[in-house]
């Protein structure tokens, strides 16, 4: 799910490091992926702490790791695309 344009405008206004060129959409996507990776890391940390309890979250841990790996690969592709432009 993507953020509304107004959110993008606010984010861009408060982040002077965002480029103001053709790479901006790619950079915005990369920043969103970084945010998702950060959230995934927090989720994973919480799940691992619960491991071994009655409701062992091993399946959720595996799913979260798989999603993290997919997002990291996509981020790598975006970075390569930004670098090549």
């Amino acid at each position: 799910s993507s953020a509304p344009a107004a959110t993008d405008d606010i984010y861009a206004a408060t982040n002077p490091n965002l480029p103001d060129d053709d790479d901006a959409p790619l950079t915005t996507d990369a920043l969103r992926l970084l945010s998702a990776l950060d959230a995934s890391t927090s989720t994973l940390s919480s799940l691992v702490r619960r491991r071994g309890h009655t409701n062992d979250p091993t399946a959720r841990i595996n799913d979260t790791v798989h999603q993290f790996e997919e997002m990291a690969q996509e981020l790598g592709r975006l970075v390569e695309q930004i670098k090549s432009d």
Side-chain angles (χ1 to χ4, degrees):
S1 71
S2 63
T7 303
D8 291 344
D9 293 341
I10 292 168
Y11 187 76
T14 59
N15 271 302
N17 295 329
L18 270 181
D20 205 15
D21 58 19
D22 292 337
D23 288 338
L26 293 176
T27 304
T28 300
D29 288 346
L31 289 171
R32 284 187 180 134
L33 274 170
L34 282 171
S35 178
L37 285 168
D38 184 50
S40 180
T41 302
S42 295
T43 299
L44 189 58
S45 176
S46 173
L47 290 170
V48 168
R49 279 194 303 272
R50 289 183 26 216
R51 199 172 202 178
H53 294 272
T54 317
N55 296 322
D56 189 358
T58 299
R60 286 195 55 208
I61 290 170
N62 292 337
D63 290 344
T64 302
V65 168
H66 180 72
Q67 290 172 345
F68 183 93
E69 289 170 343
E70 287 179 346
M71 288 185 290
Q73 289 172 358
E74 179 64 21
L75 180 61
R77 286 190 288 274
L78 281 171
V79 168
E80 288 302 318
Q81 190 173 354
I82 291 168
K83 284 173 39 179
S84 70
D85 286 348

